[in-house]
Amino acid sequence: MKTKLMSVLLAAAMLSALTACGGSSGNQPSTESNPPASEAPEKTDETLGVFHKDATLDETVMVDEGGVKITATGLTYTNDSVELGLTIENNSGKDLSFISGSLGYSCNSINGYMVEEGYLNCDVANGKKANDTIRFSYDALMLYGIDEIADLEIGFDMTDDDYNHTYSGPRQVKTSAFDAHDYEMNYYQETITSQAAQNTYEYEMAYFSQDTLYEQNGVKLLSSGLMTNRNGETALLLELENTTDSMVYVSTSDIGINGLKVNSSTWSTHAINAGKHSIVDVQLASVLDPAWWDVYGISEVGSVSLSLGQSNGDGVELAADTPVEIVIPDASAAFDPSGQEVYNSSGVRILSKGVYADPSGLSADLNVLLVVENSSGKNVTIDDVYDSLSVNGYMTSYLCSSQKLGSGESAVLDIELMDDSLEENKIASPSDVQEIEVGFEIKEGSTTLDEPTITLPFGE
């Protein structure tokens, strides 16, 4: 299976994708007529209103330390975004790069909600100044229920030429709308469930719940929802609140669909500032390619499972991985575990689903799809033996991610055969594959239980 670690920067990609395909800059959010989140919205032609552009920001010093001074100079509204102006002064004695909202450091929030917007990359030589802006598109804010700027929290990563990093932590600036803004109201829930938002951005909230399915170490799950866009792509949305007085990093892992584990490794990590909300987004089409859903007998999403873990900024565990399952009422939570048995020993079984062409059509890669079943009574990990795979007797380059299974669990195992190696061996399509041989290692913790070499027969 392809390994895909979702970064903080991509955490709200589903929301961005949906907003990008709906409405113009004149169709922007308002929560004035949205129904309560607990009520199903009536089917109407209502659409969202406009983003309010009245809030102003007085010049405010955000950072003044170690010879570095960062000043917020004001807000500017364009047709499709609001921009925070900055003046950066560097008298630190070193040339510095200033970064915000990046893959490596992102702790920006607006009105109490963590946002994935706010990218900055600015180099300032020692003794110099620079003017720059941080941009927040209306489209990226609207599904959070943000239709005005009451406050912003921005974090800066300051790096010298020797790659020494200084992290500012979130620094807040307040606008003229701050005092009148109601921070007790859940604008996200009001907006995401509204018929107006669904009409505007052409999605359906197939399921929404305010059940508290997770509460650990001061971090609480406030809501969960299943959103499907107009292309039929589905995302799980989890709303988390950090009630502690410190930033917490929340990770997702062990993602399963309808009881079939699809990804065991860490899928994403999200920084949540003290007292803030974060919308964790799991795009199910990214976890398991939609082309393989039929192969595994998934006709609709009846349940999504995952584990949530917590750590601090130094990587120290604050709360162990805790399983959470979201069950969608009246939906089938079935998958098809059948296939050609290629291994069965000590309660671990491997079945082949066949060889398939790259569904995107963008490469000549081939995918070997397997199902692993664990009834051993043990928690096991299954991984390939490095560089052990051959196709039709020829060594072939490939990718395969490990899977962790508890007893009674089943999991997807996807081996991707690389196109350049296949071409060298004169293999152009699934029908050219007659036999695959690959080694696996099955372990309980650090103890190897078995190390079989498995033959997968194909063709006549």
Side-chain angles (χ1 to χ4, degrees):
M1 184 179 72
K2 290 182 180 179
T3 299
K4 193 174 230 184
L5 302 178
M6 290 288 285
S7 66
V8 173
L9 184 65
L10 298 178
M14 183 65 176
L15 299 183
S16 300
L18 287 167
T19 55
C21 67
S24 65
S25 59
N27 250 343
Q28 294 150 1
S30 169
T31 59
E32 294 176 2
S33 58
N34 290 340
S38 59
E39 297 178 6
E42 296 181 3
K43 293 290 184 180
T44 68
D45 295 330
E46 178 187 15
T47 57
L48 293 177
V50 298
F51 193 94
H52 303 300
K53 304 176 182 179
D54 302 323
T56 58
L57 175 66
D58 293 334
E59 189 170 288
T60 306
V61 176
M62 302 180 72
V63 176
D64 193 358
E65 302 163 6
V68 172
K69 186 176 182 179
I70 303 176
T71 304
T73 57
L75 296 177
T76 301
Y77 297 95
T78 70
N79 287 335
D80 57 9
S81 66
V82 54
E83 297 177 353
L84 173 66
L86 298 174
T87 296
I88 302 174
E89 304 175 53
N90 178 17
N91 294 299
S92 67
K94 299 180 179 181
D95 297 343
L96 294 175
S97 295
F98 295 82
I99 296 174
S100 178
S102 72
L103 285 168
Y105 191 63
S106 181
C107 59
N108 300 337
S109 73
I110 295 179
N111 297 4
Y113 290 86
M114 305 301 296
V115 296
E116 309 311 322
E117 293 276 296
Y119 179 69
L120 172 74
N121 188 351
C122 181
D123 297 328
V124 186
N126 181 51
K128 302 299 182 181
K129 302 179 182 180
N131 291 318
D132 212 326
T133 59
I134 294 180
R135 177 181 178 274
F136 301 90
S137 70
Y138 304 137
D139 282 346
L141 301 179
M142 57 184 57
L143 285 183
Y144 292 93
I146 299 172
D147 65 354
E148 67 175 356
I149 305 297
D151 82 276
L152 304 96
E153 283 191 353
I154 308 295
F156 301 96
D157 173 8
M158 296 164 275
T159 311
D160 63 24
D161 290 339
D162 296 321
Y163 302 102
N164 298 307
H165 294 263
T166 300
Y167 301 103
S168 70
R171 302 297 177 97
Q172 186 186 52
V173 291
K174 301 175 182 179
T175 76
S176 58
F178 178 81
D179 290 336
H181 187 77
D182 184 1
Y183 283 87
E184 298 300 316
M185 181 174 178
N186 194 310
Y187 293 94
Y188 163 74
Q189 292 187 20
E190 291 290 322
T191 301
I192 200 72
T193 59
S194 71
Q195 189 62 49
Q198 294 180 63
N199 288 342
T200 301
Y201 300 111
E202 300 179 67
Y203 71 90
E204 178 184 355
M205 186 58 67
Y207 169 78
F208 192 83
S209 172
Q210 295 167 315
D211 292 342
T212 304
L213 301 177
Y214 176 87
E215 189 167 7
Q216 299 283 333
N217 190 47
V219 176
K220 182 178 181 180
L221 179 65
L222 298 182
S223 70
S224 55
L226 201 67
M227 168 191 281
T228 303
N229 70 10
R230 66 178 180 179
N231 296 322
E233 298 166 332
T234 300
L236 175 70
L237 304 179
L238 302 177
E239 179 192 6
L240 295 165
E241 181 183 19
N242 175 13
T243 65
T244 73
D245 57 6
S246 302
M247 180 189 293
V248 173
Y249 287 85
V250 175
S251 62
T252 64
S253 61
D254 300 326
I255 299 171
I257 304 173
N258 290 5
L260 178 67
K261 183 169 287 187
V262 181
N263 179 79
S264 295
S265 60
T266 299
W267 182 256
S268 63
T269 304
H270 308 262
I272 311 180
N273 296 346
K276 299 300 186 287
H277 293 210
S278 176
I279 312 304
V280 173
D281 161 33
V282 180
Q283 298 183 61
L284 301 185
S286 297
V287 180
L288 180 65
D289 194 300
W292 310 145
W293 288 38
D294 283 344
V295 176
Y296 287 99
I298 300 174
S299 60
E300 61 178 329
V301 179
S303 70
V304 181
S305 57
L306 75 167
S307 293
L308 298 176
Q310 296 178 40
S311 61
N312 63 18
D314 296 323
V316 177
E317 183 181 279
L318 301 176
D321 288 348
T322 302
V324 175
E325 184 177 26
I326 292 85
V327 178
I328 292 80
D330 303 322
S332 172
F335 70 92
D336 177 13
S338 66
Q340 181 182 11
E341 183 177 284
V342 293
Y343 175 81
N344 190 344
S345 178
S346 302
V348 177
R349 196 165 169 246
I350 302 176
L351 302 99
S352 171
K353 290 276 191 180
V355 183
Y356 298 85
D358 177 9
S360 71
L362 300 177
S363 76
D365 291 355
L366 299 179
N367 291 78
V368 183
L369 302 181
L370 308 170
V371 175
V372 183
E373 296 178 352
N374 176 25
S375 59
S376 67
K378 303 173 182 178
N379 296 324
V380 302
T381 300
I382 181 166
D383 203 354
D384 68 289
V385 175
Y386 176 72
D387 205 21
S388 65
L389 186 142
S390 65
V391 179
N392 299 350
Y394 291 91
M395 299 304 295
T396 303
S397 58
Y398 67 100
L399 295 174
C400 180
S401 294
S402 64
Q403 287 283 26
K404 296 182 294 184
L405 296 88
S407 185
E409 289 188 328
S410 297
V412 167
L413 202 60
D414 179 2
I415 303 174
E416 183 177 4
L417 309 177
M418 310 310 294
D419 57 1
D420 54 348
S421 186
L422 292 171
E423 183 179 4
E424 291 175 357
N425 297 329
K426 305 297 189 293
I427 297 171
S429 69
S431 61
D432 294 331
V433 177
Q434 300 300 307
E435 181 182 275
I436 292 174
E437 187 175 272
V438 60
F440 286 107
E441 185 176 33
I442 302 170
K443 302 176 72 174
E444 180 189 18
S446 59
T447 302
T448 299
L449 303 176
D450 196 8
E451 199 168 9
T453 297
I454 296 174
T455 299
L456 309 175
F458 301 100
E460 295 294 333

